[in-house]
């Protein structure tokens, strides 16, 4: 196994990091830099000109990717090799969004399983939206409550928010609600507004053993029977989505209402599977298929574009430069579109559960820093909260700004709103990169009428170090295709970093100890 530190590019990058690199303020004076460091795929453009990299650093990072046998590792994933070695499983979420007409390298069995289940999901979503799924009293279902946590919640909920505009408020469609936390209030705050006769529970759990989800599911079933549902009709109100159908059957979920995925789909990579049913209901099956097609477009780009023009690879290499060579331990993701409110928590799980590892795939302790702390939220709101620390605090925090170029909210002043939002995105990225030196600050204050002495006293408080690295990602619009592509972009970024670090991004043993202890405590309490 080629550990990253044994590759020729690693010490080269260390030497480059130790040497002088011009401030971003200087790097950005190159009029061609933005154009040279921008690349596009699947309706998404990355402007990486505000990374603290020179052409020598960019070359060395590309060499690192090549020396890591990235292409071979990528092909092994797409082929279905058991790259998740600690669980002995392939990692094939890419097959879930494969071309329906042509089997990919994963072969015909996976292909037919995937498309059979996808057809079942789309048919059910269509029937439900057409009023053909009936509750115990013969009423059409109007409300769907998805009960799941982690990967069985974050993906569909995030995409549902992002694409909510696709359900037309003038046409009363199905409402989809999400409950993840086992706190009683979380469930009650949803159920209290619903009519049991018209409510469908979708219990989403890969393992169907997750305590939080099973607690909520049992409680919601009790609410149904307390509100008139005869116990023998409960199954009319239940759907299971799982990779453990036997476990779901044991708990009384009928097989004709059980939608399947497989152990080769990680929970945090499962939004493309039957787990996307609540999303398919919310936005309609055609839009759900468009969402898959957008991800497929990014997959194709990832597999075919040269490393230098490869969007996920470039995002990953910037991450590695910041994490391993500039020693920056956190990573901030700030979407400038309120429909992407839940995008950061979604990526947070995908990235931190995948890359939060301290063991190489061969079982030896990690010799390099691995996944950063991923955090953030809506950019505009962040500006009025924690951006102070980013601009003037003691931590350098690399940032991903995510913006949307074309917006079509049907509000008379929508263009004005959009202008304000995108202007702020651009200004923040530039302010973080360039900062404002002490001398410039002093000059600005004096120009504003302050005395030289007062300006000198004030300037340290009002100057900005800058040199904060960022990516700017522009979606040309926020639609199902672009959202699918954006998620796939981050998935492949995480894959690429893990491939270079030589860690397994697809297990999550770190979450087990606490679960085992909770179980042991529960048993002791009985
Ligand atoms: O505890 C973490 C985790 O296992 C995640 O990996 C997963 O997405 C989540 O719990 C939910 O698991 P399940 O889908 O099996 O209920």
């Amino acid at each position: 196994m080629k550990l990253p530190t044994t590759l020729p590019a690693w010490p080269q990058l260390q030497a480059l990091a130790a040497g002088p690199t011009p401030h971003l303020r200087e790097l950005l004076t190159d009029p061609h830099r933005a154009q040279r460091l921008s690349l596009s795929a699947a309706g998404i453009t990355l402007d990486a000109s505000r990374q603290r990299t020179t052409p020598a650093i960019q070359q060395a990072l590309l060499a690192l990717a090549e020396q890591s046998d990235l292409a071979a590792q990528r092909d092994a994933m797409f082929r279905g090799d058991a790259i998740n070695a600690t669980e002995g499983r392939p990692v094939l979420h890419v097959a879930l969004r494969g071309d329906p007409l042509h089997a990919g390298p994963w072969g015909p069995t996976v292909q037919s399983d995937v498309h059979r289940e996808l057809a079942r999901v789309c048919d059910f979503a269509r029937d439900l939206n057409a009023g053909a799924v009936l509750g115990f009293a013969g009423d059409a279902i109007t409300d769907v409550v998805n009960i799941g946590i982690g990967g069985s919640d974050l993906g569909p909920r995030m995409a549902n928010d992002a694409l909510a505009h696709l359900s037309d408020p003038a046409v009363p469609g199905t409402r989809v609600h999400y409950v993840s936390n086992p706190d009683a209030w979380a469930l009650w705050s949803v159920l209290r507004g619903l009519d049991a006769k018209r409510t469908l529970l979708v219990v989403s759990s890969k393992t169907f053993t997750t305590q939080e989800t099973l607690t909520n599911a049992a409680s919601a079933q009790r609410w149904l029977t307390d509100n008139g549902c005869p116990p023998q009709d409960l199954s009319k109100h239940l759907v299971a989505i799982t990779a453990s159908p036997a476990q779901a059957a044991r708990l009384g979920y009928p097989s004709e209402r059980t939608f399947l995925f497989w152990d080769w789909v990680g929970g945090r990579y499962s939004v493309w599977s039957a787990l996307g049913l609540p999303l398919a209901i919310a936005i309609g099956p055609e839009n759900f298929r468009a969402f898959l097609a957008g991800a497929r477009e990014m997959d194709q780009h990832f597999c075919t574009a040269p490393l230098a023009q490869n969007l996920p690879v470039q995002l990953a290499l910037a991450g590695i430069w910041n994490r391993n060579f500039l020693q920056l331990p956190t990573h901030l993701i700030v979407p400038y579109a309120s429909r992407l409110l839940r995008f950061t928590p979604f990526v947070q799980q995908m990235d931190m559960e995948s890359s939060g590892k301290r063991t190489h795939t061969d079982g030896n302790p990690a010799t390099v820093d691995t996944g950063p702390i991923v955090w953030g939220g809506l950019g505009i709101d962040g500006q009025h909260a924690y951006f102070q620390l980013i601009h003037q605090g003691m931590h350098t925090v690399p940032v991903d700004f995510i913006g949307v170029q074309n917006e079509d909210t049907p509000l008379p002043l929508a263009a004005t709103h959009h202008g304000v939002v995108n202007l702020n995105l651009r200004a923040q990225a530039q302010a973080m990169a360039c900062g404002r030196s002490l001398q410039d600050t002093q000059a600005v204050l004096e120009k504003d009428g302050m005395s030289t002495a007062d300006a000198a006293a004030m300037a340290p408080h009002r100057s900005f170090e800058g040199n904060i690295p960022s990516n700017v990602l522009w979606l040309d619009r926020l639609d199902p295709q672009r959202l699918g592509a954006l998620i796939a972009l981050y998935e492949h970024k995480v894959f690429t970093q893990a491939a270079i670090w030589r860690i397994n991004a697809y297990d999550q043993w770190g979450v087990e100890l606490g679960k085992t202890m909770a179980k042991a405590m529960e048993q002791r309490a009985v």
Side-chain angles (χ1 to χ4, degrees):
M1 190 179 73
K2 292 179 178 170
L3 286 180
T5 49
T6 64
L7 303 174
W10 196 271
Q12 207 186 331
L13 284 159
Q14 281 175 319
L16 286 162
T21 305
H23 191 288
L24 276 171
R25 193 183 293 144
E26 288 165 48
L27 291 173
L28 288 166
T29 56
D30 171 358
H32 307 294
R33 183 174 170 88
Q35 198 196 356
R36 210 178 49 248
L37 295 176
S38 291
L39 53 150
S40 300
I44 300 174
T45 300
L46 165 68
D47 174 0
S49 62
R50 294 181 191 81
Q51 291 296 335
R52 278 158 54 176
T53 58
T54 58
I57 294 167
Q58 289 145 20
Q59 279 311 316
L61 286 168
L62 276 177
L64 179 69
E66 270 153 21
Q67 292 161 15
S68 304
D69 297 335
L70 184 59
Q73 294 196 63
R74 179 199 64 207
D75 293 348
M77 174 170 76
F78 276 74
R79 210 168 39 228
D81 292 6
I83 63 166
N84 176 1
T86 62
E87 297 184 301
R89 294 171 184 169
V91 173
L92 273 177
H93 48 275
V94 289
L96 298 167
R97 58 226 190 188
D99 185 337
L101 301 176
H102 302 103
W106 41 83
T109 310
V110 167
Q111 174 82 357
S112 66
D113 285 352
V114 163
H115 288 282
R116 184 194 61 239
E117 218 49 31
L118 177 58
R120 287 187 69 217
V121 163
C122 290
D123 288 348
F124 186 76
R126 199 170 292 115
D127 288 351
L128 194 127
N129 284 339
V133 175
L134 308 180
F136 67 86
D139 302 290
I141 295 294
T142 53
D143 289 86
V144 170
V145 181
N146 187 72
I147 297 177
I149 198 162
S152 297
D153 165 76
L154 290 163
R157 194 198 286 230
M158 175 275 289
N160 198 148
D161 276 5
L163 302 174
H165 61 293
L166 296 173
S167 43
D168 184 347
V171 182
T174 317
R175 289 177 294 265
V176 183
H177 315 264
Y178 294 84
V179 179
S180 58
N181 201 291
D183 175 310
W185 179 258
L187 181 62
W188 174 240
S189 63
V190 169
L191 294 182
R192 67 180 172 160
L194 304 185
D195 176 355
K197 295 195 290 300
R198 296 176 172 276
T199 299
L200 181 78
L201 306 179
V202 174
V203 181
S204 297
S205 175
K206 180 176 172 182
T207 56
F208 236 79
T209 56
T210 302
Q211 186 191 37
E212 296 89 332
T213 297
L214 297 186
T215 303
N216 273 331
S219 178
Q221 287 187 32
R222 171 69 185 272
W223 172 83
L224 281 171
T225 51
D226 283 1
N227 283 279
C229 179
Q232 67 276 16
D233 283 343
L234 251 185
S235 62
K236 292 183 177 162
H237 292 261
L238 300 182
V239 159
I241 306 176
T242 188
S244 311
Q247 179 65 13
R250 257 195 300 284
L251 294 175
Y253 291 79
S255 62
E256 65 279 11
R257 288 279 184 90
T258 298
F259 296 89
L260 301 177
F261 59 110
W262 303 273
D263 67 0
W264 44 259
V265 184
R268 53 196 177 274
Y269 297 92
S270 63
V271 65
W272 321 104
S273 72
L275 227 287
L277 174 66
L279 175 64
I281 293 169
I283 65 174
E286 282 70 32
N287 284 320
F288 185 64
R289 285 185 186 272
F291 173 68
L292 302 182
R296 178 160 71 244
E297 214 182 319
M298 186 56 73
D299 295 341
Q300 281 156 359
H301 167 80
F302 180 52
C303 288
T304 55
L307 297 183
Q309 274 95 51
N310 197 303
L311 239 159
V313 171
Q314 287 302 323
L315 216 53
L317 292 177
I320 292 215
W321 175 247
N322 290 329
R323 178 75 179 112
N324 297 107
F325 299 99
L326 300 186
Q327 315 286 357
L328 306 176
T330 82
H331 184 73
L332 177 69
I333 300 181
V334 283
Y336 276 66
S338 59
R339 289 194 272 140
L340 290 174
L341 172 68
R342 293 180 190 276
F343 188 71
T344 304
F346 168 78
V347 176
Q348 185 179 55
Q349 184 206 18
M350 191 222 293
D351 195 320
M352 293 177 76
E353 213 173 58
S354 298
S355 302
K357 308 288 163 66
R358 53 171 60 221
T359 314
H360 286 302
T361 48
D362 66 2
N364 283 311
T367 51
V368 293
D369 288 329
T370 59
I373 296 161
V374 176
W375 65 291
L378 291 182
I380 287 275
D381 299 80
Q383 284 173 213
H384 299 276
Y386 52 80
F387 270 36
Q388 166 64 36
L389 183 144
I390 314 285
H391 283 292
Q392 288 189 316
M394 299 294 284
H395 302 272
T396 302
V397 179
V399 186
D400 283 358
F401 292 94
I402 303 176
V404 179
Q405 257 148 359
N406 299 296
E407 241 281 331
D408 50 9
T409 304
L411 202 62
L413 295 185
T416 311
H417 290 262
H418 195 52
V420 168
V421 170
N422 284 356
L423 197 80
N424 272 277
L425 186 162
R426 290 193 172 91
Q428 290 294 330
Q430 201 63 3
M432 286 183 190
C434 298
R436 191 172 67 186
S437 69
L438 201 61
Q439 296 89 318
D440 285 355
T441 303
Q442 166 108 22
V444 167
L445 295 177
E446 285 185 38
K447 194 161 166 259
D448 285 351
M450 229 181 239
S451 71
T452 304
D454 285 351
M458 185 56 88
H461 300 282
R462 296 181 61 174
S463 59
F464 298 78
E465 191 60 38
N467 218 16
I468 298 164
S470 68
N471 292 309
V472 179
L473 285 161
W474 287 108
L475 273 58
D476 53 17
R477 62 179 53 78
L478 182 44
D479 64 7
Q481 285 97 323
R482 286 1 174 249
L483 183 67
L486 182 69
I487 299 171
L489 168 62
Y490 275 89
E491 288 179 349
H492 293 318
K493 173 202 170 181
V494 167
F495 168 87
T496 301
Q497 292 188 335
I500 293 172
W501 288 327
R502 298 281 170 176
I503 57 170
N504 180 359
Y506 301 103
D507 61 10
Q508 56 284 315
W509 297 109
V511 300
E512 291 304 321
L513 182 61
K515 286 187 196 172
T516 314
M517 286 189 173
K519 203 160 271 173
M521 286 175 188
E522 187 187 28
Q523 274 157 9
R524 274 203 297 276
V526 172

